[in-house]
Amino acid sequence: MASVLNVKESKAFERMIVVAGLPVGHNDRSLTKLVKSHFQDIKNEGGVVEDVIYPTRTKGVAYVIFKEKKVAENVIRKKKHSLAEKVGTIQLTVSHVSEKVFSSVNATLDLSVFLGQVVLESLVRDLKRKIPSLCFSPLEQNGRISVQGSFLAMKKLKESLLLKASSLLEKDRSSTSEGGKWNRQSPRSSLQRSSNALESPRSSVPRATRCGETFVLDTDVFLYLKKKKSCYESMLKRSNVLCQETVDGEITTICIKNARSGLPPNNEKLVKEFIEKCSHALYFELRKETFVLEGKKKREKRDIKLACEQLNPRYLQVLINFYETHIDILGPSSDIYLFKQEVMKLIRQTVR
């Protein structure tokens, strides 16, 4: 399976389209082949398809990368696309990856966690200024507020709130804690996952990084980047930067600082941009599946764990994260599909 990281960033997204409206519940591999066949058909203004990224984190959505930018433009210009095979006639929505695929995402925020630390009205005004594309409802007395906007705008909102919470926590802790020690290999941090990172933010940003670069990543993407992509560690070493990582639920806070003086003034920023670029590409490529252990018998839990461990050496692109209540597997769509199928097959054989 081709990777978004294997093509030049400035070119890949010009040749990539978003396909929405795919039927949910059908065989992933068959549907992927069907989508690829559809967009390679000349009748549909198609051409050579380099890759089809499906399934993705969003149900019914696939990413198609063409060999030529012109083909992507022609496909989008056609507008009307439909699949008429065994799945029935399905109308598809096609657009550039840079466009707002999610035109109406709604969320209700509970800002009461900030009470006593900031004036909520000022916080909302600041968010409106930073992300003008979002629509906010009037702030309620209990601290709740409704927000509407695109998926990307919502993602930016989440990052802004987490960074705000991190800075407030650091102010509270600065009098009693000396902060984390910098280490070239990045200090180990707790990998316990929180089910509600926004309502209970605990990320800590060290004081030492105030003159460096601080940013946040999706935790699943970060763990994959760190454990499966050698470019992450090599970039830190090559650029002579120190990095502290704080994993907290769905969000990981990255703090970067130059390891010595005399480095280019934009060195930290360049490292940050490189990591964000890699994580952005991975976000579209990776698929996550979860094996739930909670509520299962000890034998069932053991069988699932043993199956994952047995298959691990054969699937080098699959990251397995073991937790007390579940097991997450993360990797390219095709690998995750095959991995999960084989796990289920091994479990059935054990039961027999």
Side-chain angles (χ1 to χ4, degrees):
M1 177 178 178
S3 166
V4 178
L5 289 175
N6 292 335
V7 291
K8 293 182 178 179
E9 188 75 11
S10 60
K11 300 294 183 182
F13 291 100
E14 294 178 356
R15 297 182 282 108
M16 183 187 295
I17 64 170
V18 182
V19 181
L22 294 172
V24 179
H26 291 274
N27 183 281
D28 292 340
R29 297 184 72 183
S30 299
L31 196 55
T32 299
K33 290 180 179 179
L34 186 60
V35 170
K36 185 173 183 178
S37 176
H38 174 84
F39 288 105
Q40 286 189 145
D41 194 334
I42 299 177
K43 295 179 181 178
N44 299 318
E45 301 295 335
V48 178
V49 174
E50 280 192 352
D51 193 17
V52 176
I53 302 173
Y54 183 83
T56 61
R57 294 189 172 193
T58 307
K59 292 182 178 180
V61 172
Y63 298 94
V64 179
I65 304 176
F66 294 98
K67 188 175 181 179
E68 298 179 6
K69 174 184 176 182
K70 184 178 179 180
V71 176
E73 294 173 344
N74 290 340
V75 167
I76 293 173
R77 195 178 296 115
K78 186 177 183 294
K79 293 185 178 180
K80 291 186 178 181
H81 291 271
S82 61
L83 297 179
E85 296 291 334
K86 296 179 181 179
V87 297
T89 302
I90 305 295
Q91 297 298 323
L92 304 176
T93 301
V94 179
S95 62
H96 277 297
V97 71
S98 59
E99 293 180 2
K100 297 178 181 178
V101 184
F102 304 92
S103 58
S104 182
V105 179
N106 296 278
T108 300
L109 303 179
D110 185 358
L111 301 180
S112 62
V113 293
F114 293 102
L115 283 173
Q117 301 180 78
V118 297
V119 178
L120 296 188
E121 288 78 7
S122 298
L123 176 60
V124 173
R125 283 196 297 270
D126 187 48
L127 292 172
K128 288 180 178 179
R129 179 181 58 79
K130 289 181 178 179
I131 319 172
S133 60
L134 288 176
C135 295
F136 292 82
S137 69
L139 180 66
E140 299 178 14
Q141 290 184 347
N142 59 6
R144 289 183 175 273
I145 188 170
S146 296
V147 187
Q148 183 181 37
S150 69
F151 175 78
L152 293 178
M154 287 293 190
K155 185 173 183 291
K156 187 175 180 181
L157 172 65
K158 183 178 181 181
E159 293 173 352
S160 298
L161 288 173
L162 283 164
L163 282 176
K164 182 67 175 179
S166 295
S167 63
L168 291 173
L169 276 172
E170 175 55 26
K171 288 180 181 179
D172 292 339
R173 294 178 181 178
S174 59
S175 59
T176 57
S177 173
E178 294 180 359
K181 293 183 178 180
W182 287 100
N183 188 297
R184 186 177 296 277
Q185 295 300 323
S186 305
R188 294 181 181 179
S189 33
S190 171
L191 296 182
Q192 293 181 346
R193 309 297 299 275
S194 165
S195 61
N196 201 338
L198 263 180
E199 292 186 10
S200 303
R202 298 189 299 275
S203 301
S204 175
V205 181
R207 295 175 67 186
T209 61
R210 287 177 183 171
C211 58
E213 290 286 343
T214 301
F215 57 102
V216 294
L217 299 177
D218 176 274
T219 292
D220 289 324
V221 173
F222 162 71
L223 291 176
Y224 192 90
L225 180 64
K226 182 177 175 64
K227 297 180 180 181
K228 290 295 182 179
K229 296 294 181 180
S230 59
C231 61
Y232 178 78
E233 293 292 346
S234 62
M235 182 62 173
L236 297 180
K237 293 178 181 179
R238 188 169 64 251
S239 303
N240 288 300
V241 296
L242 303 175
C243 178
Q244 181 162 340
E245 307 143 355
T246 303
V247 177
D248 184 19
E250 297 179 358
I251 292 294
T252 293
T253 304
I254 308 291
C255 304
I256 293 175
K257 183 182 179 182
N258 287 332
R260 58 180 176 81
S261 59
L263 294 172
N266 64 337
N267 186 59
E268 297 163 333
K269 184 178 180 181
L270 290 175
V271 176
K272 171 189 173 183
E273 291 176 348
F274 174 82
I275 295 175
E276 288 182 325
K277 175 181 175 181
C278 292
S279 65
H280 183 66
L282 283 174
Y283 189 86
F284 290 102
E285 178 186 355
L286 298 177
R287 175 187 176 186
K288 176 183 175 182
E289 289 285 352
T290 300
F291 294 106
V292 179
L293 302 179
E294 195 171 19
K296 295 186 181 296
K297 297 179 180 179
K298 288 185 178 180
R299 181 179 177 180
E300 292 178 297
K301 294 180 180 179
R302 182 198 63 195
D303 291 343
I304 296 174
K305 289 180 180 179
L306 287 175
C308 289
E309 291 172 349
Q310 182 178 336
L311 294 171
N312 194 21
R314 290 170 47 196
Y315 288 87
L316 300 180
Q317 297 301 312
V318 173
L319 174 64
I320 307 174
N321 292 320
F322 294 92
Y323 300 102
E324 185 177 346
T325 59
H326 64 281
I327 299 174
D328 286 339
I329 56 175
L330 196 70
S333 296
S334 57
D335 287 2
I336 292 298
Y337 173 81
L338 294 174
F339 187 94
K340 185 176 181 181
Q341 292 297 311
E342 291 203 46
V343 168
M344 301 309 294
K345 184 178 179 181
L346 288 173
I347 294 174
R348 287 194 293 269
Q349 290 177 351
T350 305
V351 172
R352 291 175 186 173

